[in-house]
Amino acid sequence: MKKKLNDIYSLIKSRRLSEAFGKTRALINSDQVMKYTAKIDELESVYHDLLSYYIRGIEDVKREDILLYVGHNLAEVADLIVYKTEKRNSSAEFYNRLRFCSGIDELGIIKLIEEALVVSDRRAYDRYVQDLFYAIWVTRSLSEEQVQAIFDTRLDDYLLCVVASALMMSLEEWWDLKKIELILGLLTRRGISPHLRARLWTAVAFTVRRYPLQIELHGKTLSPILQTVIDEHPHAAFELRFVIKRLYAALETEDVNRKVQKEVIDGLRHISPDVSHKLDLFGDQSAENGANPDWFKAIEGTGLDDTLRELSEMQDRGADVMYSSFKGMKRNLFFSEMPNWFIPFDMHHSHIAHVVSDDGFRDVARMMSTQLCDTDMYGLLATLALMPEHLRMQTLTQMSGANISEMKEQLELREISDDTDLYKREVKRYLEDLYRFYKDFKIHREFDDRFDEPYPLDVAFLHDLLNDISFEREIVDILLGQKRYREAAGMLTVLCEKAPDDALLNEKRGWALQLAGDYAKALEAYAHADLIGGETYWVTRQRAECNHRLGNYEVALADYERCFSLKPENKSLLLRAASCLMALKKWEEALSFYYKYEFTASESLQTKRPIAWCLLMSGAYERAFEVYKNIIETFVNDLRAPDFLNAGHAALMVGKREESVDFYLKSKNRYMEADSEHGEREFYRSIAEDFHTLLLLGASYEQLRLLTEWIRFSSR
């Protein structure tokens, strides 16, 4: 039904109200919502009169106001019908809490706020805060009295942060104009904390993405409030953009988790224990520690060093590298209550206060809370609460990498006084909390995951805040760093339309398209970059790669040769040019390039294989046979099934049938080792594909038939 509701909003937005009335009536399918028929009739009558005045030529200066009135009220009726019909299909948690709170009168939220403001017992206070979150979450539409109670200046930062999260999560369930007005209204206040601003801007970002049609329909109401926010806060654009940048950074968290779980942990299992603990892979190793460089050699060549380097790069881009480390702690009973995923970290909270009663312990926890998000801190301390008291401090100091004597100094170093830096830290921590909720809450699958796809930047309501090329460039760089090339290419296409004379943007667009596999469009982007900025080595090289992929070997060859003339020290260009010549069947020219490369580089399979094939195809059978024999004798550990197959071809062409059969059988065995089920079929398919080439080289059909028969016979 929510799709039908969006259709109605689209019709109202485009002023096709007659269709919207019909679709709204079609939503009424039970006695429970039959009462809304009268309201639809009333609105339809008003709209009929408006149209009648127009047809009769009567000027109506209030026509626009009436249209807005009818549209807004019809949208509200449609919302109510869907809400009444669909609330049972909301998350189980939402529906259960809705039933629980249904007995609370309209003053329930107000009473909870009043109780929370005056209660002295911390356990009771935490219970009021939890109930307040639930009450706001399941309240479909706030009354003016409830709004004023939330605007009460007596509410401290802690309560307002909880309210902001509850409003956002309530809007995730159902649209309510008053809630988004309230969120924007709280942002108009001067002097609100970075912690609260982080939550409010996140709520704006989430709600605008969730309800683009509703936001646009109520633009005349909401836009002036947003403008007031911008006027009151000169850094409003920066703050919203930073939230969105962090949302983009969060797209990489799943990759980080996979690398930690699958690559780092599995990799450590293959390093001897006496070395792995010395590596301190996630800590700092200063020269004073006297770490032996030989210890780190244990991870070289395992692939683990590359993984750790990549994780470090991900962290530099803003990826959440701590998620997997604290994931298991979210199974604590504390997190069975939904509000506990959204409350700010407070060492006085009744669930953990007894754990941090010691001054030294509080210092360690305070230091760690500057780096870890709130849910990780609650999870950590709730887990420590289950341990014997004498082990808690030891465990915490080990995790923090600090001892008590260093604590004061580290706390001073980590204290941030700059408002902007504080805000950035709070956004990072809050979005990490939200990510954990959407991934790890016991019924997280009942909520639409807001971290599954990139945030759209073409949101009309936020245009004045997000329409900035430098910001969009930053997002593109994040996507490129995450290897999300298709999304980056789409964004770069829009950017290139905004700045058509920017050569760098066109280069990046070409690069993104190339890595996304769209080589033809990449060539168009590179051509445009050349027109703007002139020919460069890098663009010429990428253009060569695209043409190579597209099979335009002549064009690619010319570009590779051009690149080599500009950078003769780059010998890999010789290999790329030679591969084009091979594709063009210019075997002897290809050989000259391979020999040039081999003259300057060490002997390797990278050149030996194509040299042997070029010799074979150019008719130098004896030389080809010698090279293949050299490959098989020299590179024993790197051989593949096609190496033996091609050696068999060369032996056949020099008349060494027995050796040819021996190589073919070895090739067949390699194919079967690689794939026991389909390997044999793959071998015969490969040898059959090469028959045409061998016939062109001079082998007879009868010769090939008898060889194949012998191989089949020998394998029985």
Side-chain angles (χ1 to χ4, degrees):
M1 286 192 78
K2 287 186 178 179
K3 182 183 180 305
K4 293 178 181 178
L5 183 61
N6 280 335
D7 290 342
I8 291 169
Y9 265 94
S10 295
L11 291 169
I12 294 172
K13 178 183 155 230
S14 59
R15 299 289 177 89
R16 293 158 60 187
L17 296 182
S18 57
E19 293 174 69
F21 279 117
K23 286 187 177 288
T24 305
R25 287 186 187 281
L27 294 175
I28 299 174
N29 57 9
S30 69
D31 292 340
Q32 187 182 17
V33 291
M34 191 62 70
K35 62 183 178 182
Y36 295 109
T37 302
K39 183 64 177 176
I40 297 172
D41 290 341
E42 177 195 324
L43 293 171
E44 205 165 30
S45 175
V46 172
Y47 187 54
H48 176 271
D49 290 346
L50 180 146
L51 293 175
S52 175
Y53 280 19
Y54 174 74
I55 295 299
R56 287 152 54 193
I58 301 173
E59 279 301 318
D60 189 345
V61 293
K62 292 189 176 181
R63 181 185 299 144
E64 185 62 27
D65 291 339
I66 294 170
L67 279 171
L68 286 173
Y69 169 82
V70 173
H72 289 175
N73 279 273
L74 183 59
E76 176 69 12
V77 170
D79 271 337
L80 284 167
I81 293 170
V82 173
Y83 174 76
K84 295 290 186 182
T85 307
E86 285 282 281
K87 63 185 177 183
R88 285 179 175 272
N89 297 327
S90 300
S91 72
E93 183 75 5
F94 180 88
Y95 186 63
N96 288 337
R97 289 294 165 183
L98 180 63
R99 290 175 61 205
F100 174 77
C101 294
S102 61
I104 302 175
D105 60 26
E106 187 181 282
L107 299 178
I109 290 175
I110 301 171
K111 288 178 180 177
L112 287 168
I113 290 173
E114 289 295 335
E115 292 291 348
L117 288 172
V118 299
V119 70
S120 57
D121 178 67
R122 183 57 198 236
R123 192 173 297 278
Y125 173 81
D126 291 334
R127 189 169 60 252
Y128 285 133
V129 169
Q130 186 177 100
D131 289 344
L132 177 62
F133 180 97
Y134 279 131
I136 293 173
W137 181 43
V138 299
T139 298
R140 189 204 167 277
S141 184
L142 294 174
S143 67
E144 285 300 329
E145 292 77 12
Q146 290 169 335
V147 169
Q148 291 307 313
I150 291 170
F151 258 115
D152 192 323
T153 54
R154 292 177 298 159
L155 270 70
D156 61 13
D157 202 56
Y158 184 92
L159 269 179
L160 285 173
C161 283
V162 173
V163 167
S165 294
L167 289 169
M168 182 185 78
M169 295 309 295
S170 180
L171 281 162
E172 286 290 287
E173 295 285 348
W174 295 99
W175 165 254
D176 178 22
L177 179 61
K178 278 193 171 60
K179 291 194 183 83
I180 187 62
E181 283 183 301
L182 178 53
I183 290 167
L184 289 169
L186 288 169
L187 273 171
T188 62
R189 285 183 175 178
R190 291 185 179 182
I192 59 175
S193 72
H195 201 164
L196 178 56
R197 295 204 311 275
R199 294 191 178 220
L200 291 171
W201 278 121
T202 301
V204 170
F206 274 43
T207 304
V208 169
R209 176 169 65 175
R210 178 114 169 88
Y211 300 104
L213 293 172
Q214 288 88 334
I215 292 288
E216 193 169 347
L217 184 63
H218 294 285
K220 287 198 172 183
T221 302
L222 297 174
S223 293
I225 309 176
L226 181 63
Q227 189 57 53
T228 303
V229 174
I230 295 170
D231 294 340
E232 293 293 331
H233 298 286
H235 301 299
F238 164 80
E239 293 189 350
L240 177 60
R241 290 172 194 168
F242 189 75
V243 168
I244 291 170
K245 280 196 287 186
R246 293 300 313 185
L247 284 171
Y248 272 89
L251 294 171
E252 203 165 22
T253 302
E254 196 58 42
D255 288 338
V256 173
N257 184 44
R258 177 182 53 77
K259 284 185 177 296
V260 170
Q261 294 295 323
K262 301 294 184 185
E263 297 177 33
V264 174
I265 294 175
D266 287 352
L268 286 172
R269 291 195 183 104
H270 295 92
I271 300 175
S272 62
D274 59 326
V275 173
S276 63
H277 82 272
K278 294 174 186 176
L279 289 175
D280 187 24
L281 291 170
F282 294 101
D284 294 326
Q285 289 284 356
S286 64
E288 290 73 19
N289 289 340
N292 186 342
D294 290 341
W295 296 343
F296 294 91
K297 291 180 181 178
I299 66 172
E300 292 177 4
T302 64
L304 185 56
D305 51 341
D306 292 333
T307 299
L308 292 173
R309 196 176 300 110
E310 191 174 352
L311 280 172
S312 178
E313 291 169 0
M314 287 176 165
Q315 187 172 19
D316 290 341
R317 288 196 295 270
D320 178 4
V321 298
M322 301 305 295
Y323 169 65
S324 60
S325 301
F326 289 83
K327 183 179 173 71
M329 296 180 185
K330 304 305 185 297
R331 289 192 288 268
N332 190 286
L333 189 61
F334 178 76
F335 293 106
S336 63
E337 292 290 349
M338 181 178 167
N340 290 343
W341 293 84
F342 299 93
I343 55 174
F345 176 67
D346 181 3
M347 283 187 280
H348 297 101
H349 192 283
S350 56
H351 195 83
I352 59 167
H354 65 289
V355 182
V356 289
S357 55
D358 177 81
D359 288 343
F361 199 102
R362 272 198 302 274
D363 285 340
V364 181
R366 184 175 155 217
M367 183 194 73
M368 293 183 73
S369 69
T370 63
Q371 302 302 311
L372 299 179
C373 63
D374 294 334
T375 51
D376 283 356
M377 283 304 300
Y378 277 121
L380 172 61
L381 295 179
T383 302
L384 290 176
L386 304 175
M387 299 174 62
E389 190 172 350
H390 68 282
L391 292 178
R392 292 174 188 167
M393 189 64 181
Q394 178 186 342
T395 303
L396 197 62
T397 51
Q398 283 178 347
M399 291 187 69
S400 67
N403 55 52
I404 297 301
S405 62
E406 298 172 330
M407 202 58 54
K408 300 274 185 187
E409 182 182 349
Q410 290 204 25
L411 274 171
E412 289 173 7
L413 288 172
R414 295 191 182 192
E415 283 293 338
I416 300 175
S417 57
D418 181 74
D419 183 81
T420 300
D421 289 339
L422 279 169
Y423 174 79
K424 288 163 69 174
R425 186 179 76 185
E426 293 309 319
V427 169
K428 172 183 176 294
R429 295 174 69 249
Y430 183 51
L431 288 179
E432 287 174 357
D433 286 325
L434 290 178
Y435 187 91
R436 285 148 178 71
F437 170 78
Y438 280 109
K439 303 296 182 182
D440 298 329
F441 184 40
K442 62 182 180 180
I443 54 168
H444 66 92
R445 288 185 178 84
E446 295 185 7
F447 296 85
D448 294 332
D449 191 342
R450 298 304 169 199
F451 291 88
D452 270 356
E453 56 186 22
Y455 192 93
L457 300 184
D458 56 343
V459 181
F461 181 68
L462 301 176
H463 179 269
D464 292 343
L465 294 170
L466 300 184
N467 184 34
D468 180 81
I469 285 184
S470 61
F471 164 63
E472 292 171 84
R473 284 177 186 269
E474 290 182 72
I475 300 298
V476 163
D477 288 340
I478 291 173
L479 290 171
L480 288 174
Q482 295 174 346
K483 301 178 181 176
R484 302 176 75 95
Y485 301 120
R486 198 157 295 283
E487 290 103 325
M491 192 173 293
L492 281 161
T493 299
V494 175
L495 278 175
C496 286
E497 290 171 0
K498 292 180 180 179
D501 296 329
D502 192 315
L504 181 59
L505 281 177
N506 280 279
E507 286 181 12
K508 284 188 174 182
R509 178 172 176 259
W511 176 244
L513 287 164
Q514 179 182 342
L515 294 176
D518 198 339
Y519 304 110
K521 286 187 179 178
L523 283 172
E524 291 175 11
Y526 287 139
H528 197 61
D530 271 349
L531 283 173
I532 300 165
E535 185 180 24
T536 65
Y537 168 83
W538 186 85
V539 171
T540 305
R541 174 66 190 268
Q542 302 315 316
R543 197 171 59 219
E545 294 295 333
C546 289
N547 276 307
H548 196 165
R549 293 277 189 170
L550 290 169
N552 303 327
Y553 301 117
E554 294 278 10
V555 181
L557 178 62
D559 278 337
Y560 284 131
E561 290 177 330
R562 171 68 178 150
C563 288
F564 189 68
S565 70
L566 295 171
K567 288 195 175 183
E569 70 278 8
N570 190 346
K571 305 302 180 186
S572 66
L573 292 166
L574 293 170
L575 297 178
R576 303 300 292 157
S579 68
C580 288
L581 288 164
M582 284 184 69
L584 294 167
K585 296 182 168 47
K586 296 182 178 182
W587 311 112
E588 292 183 359
E589 290 181 58
L591 274 171
S592 69
F593 277 85
Y594 284 122
Y595 285 141
K596 281 180 189 176
Y597 179 84
E598 201 174 41
F599 182 75
T600 60
S602 59
E603 191 176 78
S604 70
L605 265 177
Q606 190 177 20
T607 53
K608 286 294 182 186
R609 280 180 176 135
I611 285 173
W613 187 256
C614 287
L615 287 168
L616 181 64
M617 299 306 292
S618 61
Y621 304 134
E622 290 287 351
R623 289 170 61 197
F625 180 62
E626 291 304 318
V627 175
Y628 275 121
K629 281 185 68 177
N630 177 260
I631 287 173
I632 287 168
E633 291 168 1
T634 307
F635 303 98
V636 178
N637 296 324
D638 301 309
L639 296 175
R640 301 188 310 231
D643 293 320
F644 291 103
L645 185 68
N646 294 336
H649 297 337
L652 176 65
M653 297 313 297
V654 295
K656 300 181 183 292
R657 293 180 186 172
E658 289 185 355
E659 288 186 64
S660 173
V661 169
D662 183 53
F663 284 133
Y664 285 145
L665 288 172
K666 286 178 179 175
S667 174
K668 177 171 169 287
N669 290 337
R670 287 294 177 103
Y671 275 114
M672 293 176 69
E673 286 171 10
D675 185 347
S676 59
E677 185 177 354
H678 304 109
E680 185 173 13
R681 186 193 314 160
E682 183 64 20
F683 165 74
Y684 285 115
R685 186 192 63 77
S686 298
I687 200 169
E689 283 181 354
D690 289 349
F691 270 12
H692 179 68
T693 300
L694 293 173
L695 289 169
L696 290 175
L697 292 176
S700 69
Y701 178 80
E702 184 66 10
Q703 185 182 28
L704 297 175
R705 186 186 68 80
L706 289 170
L707 262 175
T708 307
E709 284 296 296
W710 178 254
I711 293 167
R712 290 184 187 277
F713 188 79
S714 301
S715 304
R716 291 168 60 185

